[in-house]
Coordinates of all heavy atoms in Angstrom, one line a residue:
M19 N 4.7 21.1 -19.1 CA 4.2 19.9 -19.8 C 2.7 19.8 -19.6 O 2.2 19.6 -18.6 CB 4.9 18.6 -19.3 CG 4.6 17.4 -20.2 SD 5.8 16.1 -20.0 CE 5.8 15.8 -18.2
I20 N 2.0 19.9 -20.8 CA 0.5 19.9 -20.7 C 0.1 18.4 -21.0 O 0.4 17.9 -22.1 CB -0.1 20.8 -21.7 CG1 0.3 22.3 -21.3 CG2 -1.6 20.7 -21.7 CD1 0.0 23.3 -22.4
K21 N -0.7 17.9 -20.1 CA -1.2 16.5 -20.4 C -2.7 16.6 -20.5 O -3.4 17.4 -19.9 CB -0.8 15.6 -19.2 CG 0.6 15.3 -19.2 CD 0.9 14.3 -18.1 CE 2.4 13.9 -18.1 NZ 2.7 13.0 -17.0
K22 N -3.2 15.7 -21.3 CA -4.6 15.6 -21.5 C -5.1 14.2 -21.3 O -4.3 13.3 -21.4 CB -5.0 16.1 -22.9 CG -4.7 17.6 -23.1 CD -5.2 18.0 -24.5 CE -5.0 19.5 -24.7 NZ -5.4 20.0 -26.0
A23 N -6.4 14.1 -21.0 CA -6.9 12.7 -20.8 C -7.9 12.4 -21.9 O -8.7 13.3 -22.3 CB -7.6 12.7 -19.4
C24 N -7.8 11.2 -22.4 CA -8.7 10.8 -23.4 C -10.2 10.6 -22.9 O -10.3 10.0 -21.8 CB -8.2 9.4 -24.0 SG -9.3 8.7 -25.2
T25 N -11.1 11.2 -23.5 CA -12.5 11.2 -23.0 C -13.1 9.8 -23.3 O -14.1 9.4 -22.8 CB -13.4 12.3 -23.6 OG1 -13.4 12.1 -25.0 CG2 -12.9 13.6 -23.3
N26 N -12.5 9.0 -24.2 CA -13.0 7.7 -24.5 C -12.5 6.6 -23.6 O -13.3 5.9 -23.0 CB -12.6 7.4 -26.0 CG -13.2 6.1 -26.4 OD1 -14.4 5.9 -26.2 ND2 -12.4 5.3 -27.0
C27 N -11.2 6.6 -23.3 CA -10.6 5.5 -22.5 C -9.9 6.0 -21.3 O -9.3 5.2 -20.5 CB -9.7 4.6 -23.4 SG -8.1 5.4 -23.8
N28 N -9.9 7.3 -21.0 CA -9.3 7.9 -19.8 C -7.7 7.9 -19.8 O -7.1 8.3 -18.8 CB -9.8 7.3 -18.5 CG -11.2 7.7 -18.2 OD1 -12.0 8.0 -19.1 ND2 -11.6 7.7 -17.0
F29 N -7.1 7.4 -20.8 CA -5.7 7.3 -20.9 C -5.1 8.8 -20.9 O -5.6 9.6 -21.6 CB -5.2 6.6 -22.1 CG -3.7 6.3 -22.2 CD1 -3.1 5.3 -21.3 CD2 -2.9 7.0 -23.0 CE1 -1.8 5.1 -21.4 CE2 -1.5 6.8 -23.1 CZ -1.0 5.8 -22.2
I30 N -4.0 9.0 -20.1 CA -3.4 10.3 -20.1 C -2.2 10.4 -21.1 O -1.3 9.5 -21.1 CB -3.0 10.7 -18.7 CG1 -4.3 10.9 -17.8 CG2 -2.1 11.9 -18.7 CD1 -4.0 11.3 -16.4
T31 N -2.2 11.4 -21.9 CA -1.2 11.6 -22.9 C -0.8 13.0 -23.1 O -1.6 13.9 -22.7 CB -1.7 10.9 -24.2 OG1 -0.6 11.1 -25.2 CG2 -2.9 11.6 -24.7
K32 N 0.3 13.3 -23.7 CA 0.6 14.7 -24.1 C 0.5 14.8 -25.6 O 0.8 15.9 -26.1 CB 1.9 15.2 -23.5 CG 3.1 14.2 -23.6 CD 4.2 14.8 -22.8 CE 5.6 14.1 -23.2 NZ 5.6 12.7 -23.3
E33 N 0.1 13.8 -26.3 CA -0.1 13.8 -27.7 C -1.5 14.4 -28.0 O -2.3 14.6 -27.1 CB -0.1 12.4 -28.3 CG 1.1 11.6 -27.9 CD 2.4 12.2 -28.4 OE1 2.4 12.8 -29.4 OE2 3.4 11.9 -27.7
N34 N -1.8 14.7 -29.3 CA -3.1 15.3 -29.7 C -4.1 14.2 -30.0 O -5.2 14.4 -30.2 CB -2.9 16.2 -30.9 CG -2.2 17.5 -30.5 OD1 -2.4 18.0 -29.4 ND2 -1.3 17.9 -31.3
V35 N -3.5 13.0 -30.1 CA -4.4 11.8 -30.4 C -4.0 10.7 -29.4 O -2.9 10.5 -29.1 CB -4.2 11.3 -31.8 CG1 -4.9 10.0 -32.1 CG2 -4.5 12.3 -32.8
C36 N -5.1 10.1 -28.8 CA -4.8 9.1 -27.8 C -4.1 7.9 -28.5 O -4.5 7.3 -29.5 CB -6.2 8.6 -27.3 SG -6.0 7.2 -26.2
P37 N -2.9 7.5 -27.9 CA -2.1 6.4 -28.4 C -2.8 5.1 -28.2 O -2.5 4.1 -28.9 CB -0.8 6.5 -27.7 CG -1.1 7.2 -26.5 CD -2.2 8.2 -26.7
K38 N -3.7 5.0 -27.3 CA -4.4 3.7 -27.0 C -5.5 3.4 -27.9 O -5.6 2.3 -28.5 CB -4.9 3.7 -25.5 CG -3.9 3.7 -24.5 CD -3.4 2.3 -24.2 CE -2.3 2.4 -23.1 NZ -1.4 1.2 -23.2
C39 N -6.4 4.4 -28.1 CA -7.7 4.1 -28.9 C -7.8 5.0 -30.1 O -8.8 4.9 -30.8 CB -8.9 4.2 -28.0 SG -9.2 5.9 -27.4
K40 N -6.7 5.8 -30.3 CA -6.7 6.7 -31.5 C -7.8 7.7 -31.6 O -8.1 8.3 -32.6 CB -6.7 5.8 -32.8 CG -5.8 4.7 -32.9 CD -4.3 5.1 -32.8 CE -3.4 3.9 -32.8 NZ -2.0 4.3 -32.4
S41 N -8.4 8.0 -30.4 CA -9.4 9.0 -30.4 C -8.7 10.4 -30.3 O -7.7 10.5 -29.7 CB -10.3 8.8 -29.1 OG -11.1 10.0 -28.9
S42 N -9.3 11.4 -31.0 CA -8.8 12.7 -30.9 C -9.6 13.5 -29.9 O -9.4 14.8 -29.8 CB -8.7 13.4 -32.2 OG -10.0 13.4 -32.8
S43 N -10.5 12.9 -29.2 CA -11.3 13.6 -28.2 C -10.6 13.6 -26.8 O -10.7 12.7 -26.0 CB -12.6 12.9 -28.1 OG -13.4 13.5 -27.1
L44 N -9.8 14.6 -26.6 CA -9.0 14.7 -25.4 C -9.4 15.9 -24.6 O -9.8 17.0 -25.2 CB -7.5 14.8 -25.7 CG -6.9 13.7 -26.6 CD1 -5.5 14.0 -27.0 CD2 -6.9 12.4 -25.8
S45 N -9.3 15.8 -23.3 CA -9.7 16.9 -22.4 C -8.6 17.2 -21.4 O -8.0 16.3 -20.9 CB -11.0 16.5 -21.7 OG -11.3 17.5 -20.7
D46 N -8.4 18.5 -21.2 CA -7.4 18.9 -20.1 C -8.2 19.1 -18.8 O -7.6 19.5 -17.8 CB -6.6 20.1 -20.5 CG -7.4 21.3 -20.9 OD1 -8.7 21.3 -20.7 OD2 -6.9 22.3 -21.3
D47 N -9.5 18.8 -18.8 CA -10.2 19.0 -17.6 C -10.5 17.6 -17.0 O -11.6 17.0 -17.2 CB -11.6 19.7 -17.9 CG -12.3 20.1 -16.7 OD1 -11.8 19.9 -15.6 OD2 -13.5 20.5 -16.8
F48 N -9.5 17.1 -16.3 CA -9.7 15.8 -15.7 C -9.2 15.8 -14.2 O -8.5 16.7 -13.9 CB -8.9 14.7 -16.5 CG -7.4 14.9 -16.5 CD1 -6.6 14.4 -15.5 CD2 -6.8 15.7 -17.5 CE1 -5.3 14.5 -15.6 CE2 -5.5 15.8 -17.6 CZ -4.7 15.3 -16.6
S49 N -9.6 14.9 -13.4 CA -9.1 14.8 -12.1 C -8.8 13.4 -11.7 O -9.4 12.5 -12.2 CB -10.2 15.4 -11.1 OG -11.4 14.6 -11.2
G50 N -7.8 13.3 -10.8 CA -7.4 12.0 -10.3 C -6.5 11.3 -11.3 O -6.7 11.3 -12.5
L51 N -5.5 10.6 -10.7 CA -4.6 9.8 -11.5 C -4.6 8.4 -11.0 O -4.5 8.2 -9.8 CB -3.2 10.4 -11.5 CG -2.8 11.6 -12.3 CD1 -1.3 11.9 -12.1 CD2 -3.1 11.3 -13.8
V52 N -4.7 7.5 -11.9 CA -4.6 6.1 -11.6 C -3.5 5.4 -12.4 O -3.5 5.6 -13.6 CB -5.9 5.3 -11.9 CG1 -5.8 3.9 -11.4 CG2 -7.1 6.0 -11.2
I53 N -2.6 4.9 -11.7 CA -1.5 4.2 -12.4 C -1.7 2.7 -12.3 O -1.8 2.1 -11.2 CB -0.1 4.5 -11.8 CG1 0.1 6.0 -11.8 CG2 1.0 3.8 -12.6 CD1 1.4 6.4 -11.1
I54 N -1.9 2.1 -13.5 CA -2.2 0.6 -13.6 C -1.0 -0.1 -14.0 O -0.4 0.2 -15.0 CB -3.4 0.4 -14.6 CG1 -4.6 1.2 -14.3 CG2 -3.7 -1.1 -14.6 CD1 -5.3 0.8 -13.0
F55 N -0.5 -1.0 -13.1 CA 0.7 -1.8 -13.4 C 0.3 -3.2 -14.0 O 0.9 -3.7 -14.8 CB 1.5 -2.0 -12.2 CG 2.2 -0.7 -11.7 CD1 1.7 -0.1 -10.6 CD2 3.3 -0.2 -12.4 CE1 2.3 1.1 -10.2 CE2 3.9 1.0 -12.0 CZ 3.4 1.7 -10.9
D56 N -0.8 -3.7 -13.4 CA -1.2 -5.0 -13.7 C -2.7 -5.0 -13.9 O -3.5 -5.3 -13.0 CB -0.8 -6.0 -12.5 CG -1.1 -7.4 -12.8 OD1 -1.7 -7.7 -13.9 OD2 -0.7 -8.3 -12.0
A57 N -3.1 -4.7 -15.2 CA -4.5 -4.5 -15.5 C -5.3 -5.8 -15.2 O -6.5 -5.7 -14.8 CB -4.6 -4.1 -16.9
E58 N -4.7 -7.0 -15.4 CA -5.5 -8.2 -15.2 C -5.9 -8.5 -13.8 O -6.9 -9.1 -13.5 CB -4.7 -9.4 -15.8 CG -4.6 -9.3 -17.3 CD -4.1 -10.7 -17.9 OE1 -4.0 -11.6 -17.1 OE2 -3.8 -10.7 -19.1
N59 N -5.1 -8.0 -12.9 CA -5.3 -8.3 -11.5 C -5.7 -7.1 -10.7 O -5.7 -7.2 -9.4 CB -4.1 -9.0 -10.8 CG -3.8 -10.4 -11.5 OD1 -4.7 -11.2 -11.5 ND2 -2.6 -10.5 -12.0
S60 N -6.0 -6.0 -11.3 CA -6.3 -4.8 -10.6 C -7.8 -4.6 -10.6 O -8.5 -4.6 -11.6 CB -5.6 -3.6 -11.3 OG -6.2 -2.4 -10.8
V61 N -8.3 -4.4 -9.3 CA -9.7 -4.1 -9.2 C -10.1 -2.8 -9.8 O -11.2 -2.7 -10.5 CB -10.1 -4.1 -7.7 CG1 -11.6 -3.7 -7.5 CG2 -9.8 -5.5 -7.1
I62 N -9.3 -1.8 -9.7 CA -9.5 -0.5 -10.3 C -9.6 -0.6 -11.8 O -10.5 -0.1 -12.4 CB -8.4 0.5 -9.9 CG1 -8.3 0.6 -8.4 CG2 -8.7 1.9 -10.5 CD1 -7.1 1.4 -7.9
A63 N -8.7 -1.4 -12.4 CA -8.7 -1.5 -13.8 C -10.0 -2.2 -14.3 O -10.5 -1.8 -15.3 CB -7.5 -2.4 -14.3
K64 N -10.4 -3.2 -13.5 CA -11.6 -3.9 -13.9 C -12.8 -3.0 -13.8 O -13.7 -2.9 -14.7 CB -11.9 -5.1 -13.0 CG -11.1 -6.3 -13.3 CD -11.7 -7.6 -12.7 CE -10.9 -8.8 -13.1 NZ -9.6 -8.8 -12.5
T65 N -12.9 -2.2 -12.8 CA -14.0 -1.2 -12.6 C -14.0 -0.2 -13.7 O -15.1 0.2 -14.2 CB -13.8 -0.5 -11.2 OG1 -13.7 -1.5 -10.2 CG2 -15.0 0.4 -11.0
M66 N -12.8 0.2 -14.1 CA -12.7 1.3 -15.2 C -12.6 0.7 -16.6 O -12.5 1.4 -17.5 CB -11.5 2.2 -14.9 CG -11.7 3.0 -13.6 SD -10.2 4.0 -13.3 CE -10.2 5.1 -14.6
K67 N -12.7 -0.7 -16.6 CA -12.6 -1.4 -17.9 C -11.3 -1.1 -18.6 O -11.3 -0.9 -19.9 CB -13.8 -1.0 -18.8 CG -15.1 -1.5 -18.1 CD -16.3 -1.2 -19.1 CE -17.6 -1.8 -18.6 NZ -17.9 -1.4 -17.2
I68 N -10.2 -1.0 -17.9 CA -8.9 -0.8 -18.5 C -8.2 -2.2 -18.7 O -8.2 -3.0 -17.8 CB -8.0 0.1 -17.5 CG1 -8.6 1.5 -17.4 CG2 -6.6 0.1 -18.0 CD1 -8.0 2.3 -16.3
K69 N -7.7 -2.3 -19.9 CA -7.1 -3.6 -20.2 C -5.6 -3.6 -20.3 O -4.9 -4.6 -20.5 CB -7.7 -4.1 -21.5 CG -9.2 -4.5 -21.4 CD -9.8 -5.0 -22.7 CE -11.2 -5.3 -22.5 NZ -12.0 -4.1 -22.4
E70 N -5.0 -2.3 -20.3 CA -3.6 -2.2 -20.5 C -3.0 -1.4 -19.4 O -3.6 -0.4 -18.9 CB -3.2 -1.6 -21.9 CG -3.5 -2.5 -23.0 CD -3.2 -1.8 -24.3 OE1 -2.0 -1.6 -24.6 OE2 -4.1 -1.5 -25.1
K71 N -1.7 -1.6 -19.0 CA -1.1 -0.8 -18.0 C -0.8 0.6 -18.6 O -0.7 0.8 -19.8 CB 0.2 -1.4 -17.6 CG 1.3 -1.5 -18.6 CD 2.6 -2.1 -18.0 CE 3.6 -2.3 -19.1 NZ 4.8 -2.9 -18.6
G72 N -0.8 1.6 -17.6 CA -0.6 2.9 -18.0 C -1.1 3.9 -17.0 O -1.5 3.5 -15.9
V73 N -1.1 5.2 -17.3 CA -1.6 6.2 -16.4 C -2.9 6.7 -16.9 O -3.0 7.1 -18.1 CB -0.6 7.4 -16.3 CG1 -1.1 8.4 -15.3 CG2 0.8 6.8 -15.9
Y74 N -3.9 6.7 -16.1 CA -5.3 7.0 -16.5 C -5.9 8.1 -15.6 O -5.5 8.2 -14.4 CB -6.2 5.8 -16.5 CG -5.8 4.7 -17.5 CD1 -4.8 3.8 -17.1 CD2 -6.4 4.7 -18.7 CE1 -4.4 2.8 -18.0 CE2 -6.0 3.7 -19.6 CZ -5.0 2.8 -19.3 OH -4.6 1.8 -20.2
A75 N -6.8 8.8 -16.1 CA -7.5 9.8 -15.2 C -8.7 9.1 -14.6 O -9.4 8.3 -15.2 CB -8.0 11.0 -16.1
L76 N -9.0 9.5 -13.4 CA -10.2 9.0 -12.7 C -11.5 9.5 -13.3 O -12.4 8.8 -13.6 CB -10.1 9.3 -11.2 CG -9.6 8.3 -10.2 CD1 -9.7 8.8 -8.8 CD2 -10.3 6.9 -10.4
K77 N -11.5 10.8 -13.5 CA -12.6 11.5 -14.1 C -12.2 12.4 -15.2 O -11.3 13.2 -15.0 CB -13.4 12.3 -13.0 CG -14.2 11.5 -12.1 CD -15.0 12.4 -11.1 CE -15.8 11.6 -10.1 NZ -16.3 12.4 -9.0
V78 N -12.9 12.3 -16.3 CA -12.7 13.2 -17.4 C -14.0 14.0 -17.7 O -15.0 13.3 -17.9 CB -12.2 12.5 -18.7 CG1 -11.8 13.5 -19.8 CG2 -11.0 11.6 -18.4
R79 N -13.9 15.3 -17.8 CA -15.1 16.0 -18.1 C -15.1 16.5 -19.5 O -14.1 16.6 -20.1 CB -15.2 17.2 -17.1 CG -15.7 16.8 -15.7 CD -15.8 17.9 -14.8 NE -14.4 18.3 -14.4 CZ -13.8 17.9 -13.3 NH1 -14.4 17.1 -12.5 NH2 -12.6 18.2 -13.0
Ligands
LIG13 ZN1 -8.2 6.8 -25.6

């Protein structure tokens, strides 16, 4: 299973288009996984400007 990270919002997907922001700019060169359960109360989510729960990459190159 090949997963890619959106270079725009860091969301991890196996689609060719990011389901969150509809960007087709996806990279398979990413590191770190962040699972956000509660975006409103998560410090990580705030830092990364994530507004919805999901699995995100820490760094996308
Ligand atoms: Zn995206």
Side-chain angles (χ1 to χ4, degrees):
M19 187 161 54
I20 300 166
K21 289 187 177 175
K22 293 183 176 183
C24 176
T25 59
N26 185 45
C27 70
N28 288 26
F29 187 75
I30 292 182
T31 180
K32 45 187 198 317
E33 312 295 331
N34 291 320
V35 175
C36 174
K38 290 280 183 203
C39 68
K40 310 300 180 194
S41 167
S42 59
S43 177
L44 304 171
S45 171
D46 57 7
D47 188 8
F48 64 89
S49 62
L51 280 180
V52 182
I53 303 171
I54 305 293
F55 293 105
D56 187 352
E58 288 191 13
N59 295 305
S60 167
V61 174
I62 301 167
K64 278 199 178 71
T65 304
M66 295 177 66
K67 298 183 171 56
I68 293 168
K69 295 182 180 66
E70 291 178 69
K71 65 180 178 181
V73 184
Y74 297 84
L76 263 183
K77 282 183 184 170
V78 184
R79 281 177 288 265

